[in-house]
Amino acid sequence: MTNVVGYEVEGRVAVLTIDNPPVNALGIAVREGIVARVDQAAADDNVDAVVLIGAGRTFPAGADIREFDRPTKEPHLLAVVDHLDSIEKPVVAAIHGTALGGGLELTLGCHFRVAAPSARMGTPEVNLGIFPGAAGTQRLPRVAGLDHALELIVLGKPIGAATAKDYGIVDEIVDGDLRAGAVAFAEKVLAENRPRNISSEPREGIGAPEAFAETIEKYRDLANRRMRGQDSPHIAIESVLDGLRMPYDEAVAADRKRFEVCKNSDQSKALRYAFFAEREAGKIPDIGKDVTPRVVETAAVIGAGTMGRGIVVSLADAGLPVKVIEATKDLLDAGLAEIGKLYDGMIKRGRLDEAGKAERMARITGDTDYGALSDTDMVIEAAFEDLDVKKEIFAKLDSAAKPGAILATNTSYMDIDAIAAATSRPADVIGLHYFVPAHAMRLLEVVRGEKSAPDAIATGMALAKKTGKTAVLARVCHGFIANRSRLPLVREATFLVEEGASPEQVDRVLTEWGMPMGPLAVSDLSGLDVSWRMRRSLADRHDPDERYMHLADRMCELGRFGQKAGRGWYVYEEGNRRPVPDPETEAIAIEVAKEQGTERRDISDDEIRERCLYAAINEGAKILDEGIALRASDIDVMWLSGFGYPRWRGGIMFSADEIGLKHIHDRVQAFHAQHGKLWAPSPLLARLAEEGGRFTG
Ligand code: 3H9
């Protein structure tokens, strides 16, 4: 029990070291160990003060999230934190790495806190659908003041050691050896006979909620805007307010009950699922730790269009020197100028300064000659979506790039094996599918071709990490995982408009489900012509028995390309991105419905939700069944980081499991009977529905 918390005495200071890799999570063994060791120190006549520190990479990064699925074992973390208050000898927390959630709460039970300069601290619990349930909501306001406490608790973003010192959370920053510095600090506390700070005691300046109405309103508003639909930030605020209204003991007693409800909520389960799904996505069964990614110290991007420019920025932001290759000097200059403008935009929004821009721009060089690529470690092609163009580029790359360079294509749907076949080294070819805008979007779909080498794939995954992106692996098929699973949702959205729903009804139903924007407003934003071009390029492959998106084509034929044209599914006033309903869209829909023999009718919100979501889920099941995705949770990670699917619903596949696969299969069958071939049920969905199974375990 105590072997996860070590005990050593230095001079008259006991050093308790929590050693529970990888992140020193506060599972039951650690909780028991801390209590036992603290009691040992309290009873040890050779000890006058205590230092609590983490071994390895970090101070505890929180409660053990995996334990949340099981009944809580005593001692509860709250009891551990409270127990620290009762020790007569000063206890100093020594923080390095990430003291998060229960980890930070543990430090608040200590009487003093010192930190390494690189340490980060925070209470990210809201991101897991809970709140700091080990008295963080009571102690943090007393230590840091209400505004700073609410900032940490409601927004869930960690802060650095220097800010923590400004907020009064950290007493001293220790340069050099943390353990030695913490012991020296404890000795100073003893020498100066400093009183112990007990953060559960009432604090001056923290009073009735009415006195803080404005601050509280500010965080309610931020929670509504940044975590729309999510309950936990509001529950966290209620918990903080309890602390203003009640004595400490009553407030924490209320928290214990509230925490259990929160932890068992559907939202928390989905958010915890999302946390582990993201970590799982980085694991590829046949590419173990023994496969080393290739060294990438230089990169190049072919094409300085919208996508190429975003990729260049994401690479330069991560510190990589990047060469931009364009066909002509004019195109190159225009591309580089646009990249400069992207940085200007960041400066305007206060996210970068001029020096930061200059530093990044200095990493970016341009050329019109593929010969410039002879020493580049990774080349990412971001040219026009045309298979012949891409094959031609890859043939050129084959002769220009050095042996072992990674040759990546940023295609969003094309056959990577066909592209790889244009080279003599298909093992070096992978897909890196970025999302617009590539420098800002978190998702990176890494596509594994038939012949991609394991270390080439590992390099793609590592590049994602280096550039702050979430990578998900896909196999080759038209549209890979992300676009292939989303297309059916957009398809149904347009069919529903043809059948009688308005774009605003369709979009409202999906935003009510939690999407940040409706699919039709998104199409207007990204341009209706993008998928129109794709449909036309596939015209010869179209199965006449499958329903076709005639209305979407008609919108494009009429020049309704979306925001850039001032009209698409909606109309847009000059210089305004707000979609305004347009009666002309209905007139066009009526006309197309007449031509296609589609009966127009009143459509319920339920039908819109079911058709849009279940079409995507059915396709997701096919993607899984065909082995295009390694696991259902990978599809979910794509929807969370690529399409803004509400995190508190886990992802489409997790949502399907929660709704029930039997119900979904029944509805898919009904839609199949009504709307034909596109709705053919996935065999995997049929099987799991029959067995009472789940996609996500
Ligand atoms: C809480 O504290 C509630 C309390 O208020 C009240 C209680 C009553 N538990 O992310 P990584 C695993 S709620 C269990 O890849 P990094 C993770 O799954 C908690 N496991 O590393 C992975 O496992 P595997 C509040 C955890 O360096 C491995 O550790 N705290 C936990 O990129 C490495 O993780 C949080 O929400 C955990 N708490 O990032 C912090 N944390 O190797 C959650 C990690 O098998 N954690 N694991 O895949 C993080 O944000 C990041 O993990 C951290 C490290 C920044 C710490």
Side-chain angles (χ1 to χ4, degrees):
M1 169 219 298
T2 45
N3 58 359
V4 289
V5 184
Y7 187 90
E8 286 166 279
V9 180
E10 274 190 39
R12 298 204 54 84
V13 179
V15 179
L16 316 190
T17 307
I18 301 168
D19 190 4
N20 183 30
V23 296
N24 286 323
L26 295 157
I28 181 63
V30 177
R31 300 200 299 275
E32 285 175 338
I34 294 172
V35 172
R37 293 307 199 188
V38 164
D39 286 344
Q40 185 179 347
D44 191 337
D45 290 339
N46 295 318
V47 164
D48 293 327
V50 180
V51 164
L52 188 59
I53 194 166
R57 61 200 248 205
T58 184
F59 196 83
D64 187 338
I65 306 167
R66 291 186 199 274
E67 279 186 358
F68 289 179
D69 294 328
R70 305 190 283 271
T72 312
K73 284 198 181 149
E74 299 299 333
H76 192 279
L77 187 58
L78 175 60
V80 179
V81 173
D82 282 349
H83 188 62
L84 290 165
D85 271 352
S86 65
I87 307 304
E88 300 285 341
K89 299 173 183 177
V91 184
V92 179
I95 307 167
H96 77 295
T98 40
L100 299 175
L104 184 63
E105 292 172 297
L106 188 66
T107 75
L108 296 173
C110 299
H111 308 118
F112 301 94
R113 286 161 293 277
V114 299
S118 57
R120 296 187 67 73
M121 278 148 262
T123 45
E125 283 91 336
V126 287
N127 301 323
L128 297 169
I130 51 175
F131 64 94
T137 43
Q138 312 310 327
R139 291 174 185 261
L140 205 50
R142 290 166 162 91
V143 170
L146 192 70
D147 200 336
H148 292 149
L150 283 172
E151 176 198 324
L152 287 168
I153 293 167
V154 177
L155 306 183
K157 294 229 169 10
I159 53 172
T163 310
K165 182 146 191 299
D166 284 348
Y167 287 9
I169 298 171
V170 164
D171 297 289
E172 197 170 285
I173 294 185
V174 174
D175 289 309
D177 186 71
L178 178 65
R179 177 178 160 143
V183 170
F185 182 87
E187 283 164 345
K188 193 164 65 180
V189 166
L190 291 173
E192 292 171 5
N193 207 11
R194 284 202 213 173
R196 292 170 306 135
N197 298 320
I198 297 179
S199 63
S200 57
E201 285 175 354
R203 180 192 134 161
E204 285 278 308
I206 297 279
E210 298 70 42
F212 298 97
E214 211 173 294
T215 307
I216 293 161
E217 209 37 51
K218 175 172 91 180
Y219 286 101
R220 282 210 173 107
D221 184 49
L222 278 170
N224 283 334
R225 281 192 282 125
R226 297 202 191 163
M227 283 170 265
R228 195 169 63 88
Q230 209 176 300
D231 299 333
S232 52
H234 298 282
I235 297 171
I237 292 175
E238 282 316 305
S239 163
V240 171
L241 293 186
D242 270 2
L244 303 184
R245 296 185 194 112
M246 305 173 181
Y248 176 82
D249 287 344
E250 277 179 42
V252 290
D255 274 352
R256 267 211 76 161
K257 288 198 196 119
R258 185 185 274 128
F259 189 81
E260 285 304 303
V261 176
C262 232
K263 189 180 83 174
N264 295 325
S265 67
D266 290 345
Q267 288 199 351
S268 178
K269 282 183 198 155
L271 287 160
R272 273 144 47 199
Y273 161 82
F275 175 85
F276 288 113
E278 279 170 353
R279 275 142 191 92
E280 208 53 28
K283 296 172 189 156
I284 305 168
D286 67 323
I287 305 183
K289 291 213 164 71
D290 53 321
V291 178
T292 320
R294 297 184 198 174
V295 174
V296 176
E297 283 169 354
T298 53
V301 175
I302 312 290
T306 309
M307 197 51 124
R309 296 194 295 265
I311 299 172
V312 170
V313 168
S314 99
L315 297 167
D317 283 355
L320 281 168
V322 199
K323 272 186 193 132
V324 188
I325 304 287
E326 254 301 358
T328 65
K329 174 92 174 55
D330 284 353
L331 284 171
L332 181 63
D333 289 345
L336 292 174
E338 288 297 323
I339 289 170
K341 282 190 203 156
L342 273 177
Y343 282 128
D344 289 339
M346 293 181 207
I347 294 174
K348 226 175 175 176
R349 289 192 298 277
R351 296 173 54 189
L352 190 72
D353 56 17
E354 286 292 348
K357 174 186 169 185
E359 204 180 293
R360 286 162 176 76
M361 287 303 285
R363 290 187 197 121
I364 303 169
T365 51
D367 218 302
T368 52
D369 182 358
Y370 278 53
L373 300 174
S374 61
D375 58 352
T376 305
D377 298 322
M378 175 178 274
V379 185
I380 304 173
E381 165 275 316
F384 199 63
E385 288 281 39
D386 178 311
L387 191 59
D388 291 332
V389 170
K390 293 200 190 268
K391 281 184 182 167
E392 205 178 298
I393 291 175
F394 273 75
K396 283 208 263 178
L397 288 178
D398 194 21
S399 359
K402 69 178 186 186
I406 301 284
L407 308 181
T409 169
N410 169 57
T411 179
S412 55
Y413 59 90
M414 288 190 171
D415 182 351
I416 288 176
D417 295 327
I419 296 171
T423 72
S424 62
R425 38 173 141 171
D428 296 339
V429 177
I430 61 171
L432 288 180
H433 175 207
Y434 285 83
F435 292 74
V436 185
H439 59 285
M441 290 292 289
R442 255 198 321 133
L443 179 59
L444 180 61
E445 190 169 25
V446 178
V447 190
R448 184 173 192 168
E450 198 58 54
K451 296 191 175 151
S452 304
D455 68 341
I457 292 299
T459 312
M461 302 297 282
L463 181 83
K465 203 160 192 177
K466 191 176 169 83
T467 52
K469 300 202 181 291
T470 305
V472 184
L473 187 74
R475 282 280 188 184
V476 177
C477 69
H478 185 82
F480 315 125
I481 300 175
N483 286 350
R484 179 174 159 191
S485 61
R486 185 170 176 275
L487 177 69
L489 183 151
V490 181
R491 179 193 82 204
E492 290 307 308
T494 67
F495 288 164
L496 284 156
V497 175
E498 189 182 315
E499 289 166 38
S502 65
E504 44 287 18
Q505 186 193 3
V506 172
D507 281 351
R508 175 182 50 76
V509 169
L510 286 147
T511 48
E512 280 173 5
W513 180 253
M515 301 295 290
M517 272 171 96
L520 298 169
V522 171
S523 292
D524 273 1
L525 180 68
S526 50
L528 272 68
D529 51 324
V530 179
S531 44
W532 187 39
R533 238 190 338 262
M534 189 180 77
R535 282 195 299 281
R536 284 195 301 183
S537 77
L538 295 172
D540 54 338
R541 283 209 251 156
H542 178 246
D543 177 347
D545 292 339
E546 282 181 0
R547 188 172 172 187
Y548 184 75
M549 291 166 71
H550 293 285
L551 175 58
D553 274 12
R554 180 66 49 83
M555 300 293 275
C556 292
E557 285 153 15
L558 294 168
R560 301 186 68 110
F561 293 142
Q563 284 192 17
K564 61 185 162 196
R567 56 198 193 132
W569 296 106
Y570 300 90
V571 280
Y572 298 86
E573 284 161 17
E574 184 77 38
N576 194 332
R577 287 162 168 267
R578 195 174 62 85
V580 177
D582 183 10
E584 211 177 292
T585 300
E586 190 187 6
I588 301 165
I590 291 171
E591 194 180 276
V592 171
K594 207 159 151 203
E595 288 163 16
Q596 299 305 321
T598 306
E599 187 198 331
R600 286 184 50 95
R601 60 201 163 86
D602 281 341
I603 296 180
S604 71
D605 287 0
D606 282 349
E607 179 176 346
I608 291 173
R609 197 184 55 252
E610 292 200 327
R611 277 186 49 193
C612 288
L613 288 177
Y614 297 178
I617 290 165
N618 193 37
E619 196 66 34
K622 291 177 186 172
I623 287 170
L624 190 58
D625 213 11
E626 291 166 23
I628 302 297
L630 274 173
R631 37 182 104 79
S633 60
D634 284 0
I635 302 174
D636 285 341
V637 172
M638 294 225 171
W639 278 71
L640 297 177
S641 50
F643 304 141
Y645 194 82
R647 205 175 161 83
W648 46 271
R649 290 197 189 273
I652 52 165
M653 306 306 275
F654 186 81
S655 289
D657 284 340
E658 295 299 290
I659 293 164
L661 298 190
K662 165 93 178 62
H663 170 78
I664 293 186
H665 183 242
D666 288 349
R667 299 299 294 140
V668 168
Q669 277 185 311
F671 293 137
H672 187 208
Q674 256 175 304
H675 302 286
K677 204 167 174 182
L678 286 171
W679 277 96
S682 137
L684 175 67
L685 173 63
R687 201 182 75 232
L688 290 174
E690 171 83 28
E691 290 168 357
R694 290 171 63 92
F695 291 130
T696 63

